[in-house]
Amino acid sequence: EAAALLQAEGFPADRSFYLTVASEGGMMEEGVERVAQALRDHAPEGLRWWYDPMPDEDHHTIYNPAVLKALRLIFAPEED
């Protein structure tokens, strides 16, 4: 389903998307990996995206490091 959504007409490709997952185990990690694979295979041109698993974090500790990394990536100065 993710692949179809990424390829849908009108998908806002001029966006940034940061995806991460903590060591949640099982279904959660498998689901996020499926989304990451759909992005690898079908991300529309112009979509800036990152997949950054954080296996050393858990549900209660991932927020702060994930937000910091996401903001630094998304709002990094453009290289000349």
Side-chain angles (χ1 to χ4, degrees):
E1 184 178 349
L5 292 172
L6 288 166
Q7 296 174 342
E9 186 176 333
F11 183 87
D14 61 337
R15 302 285 194 269
S16 298
F17 180 63
Y18 180 80
L19 179 64
T20 188
V21 65
S23 61
E24 301 286 343
M27 288 178 32
M28 179 66 74
E29 290 180 41
E30 291 170 13
V32 172
E33 182 55 43
R34 283 196 308 272
V35 172
Q37 191 60 53
L39 285 162
R40 284 183 205 105
D41 295 341
H42 304 287
E45 190 172 328
L47 178 66
R48 295 178 351 137
W49 69 276
W50 302 266
Y51 176 43
D52 185 21
M54 296 186 177
D56 294 334
E57 303 299 335
D58 63 33
H59 183 79
H60 301 289
T61 64
I62 194 170
Y63 180 78
N64 287 333
V67 168
L68 182 61
K69 282 186 171 187
L71 291 174
R72 284 182 172 165
L73 286 168
I74 292 170
F75 294 108
E78 291 186 22
E79 296 180 11
D80 294 327

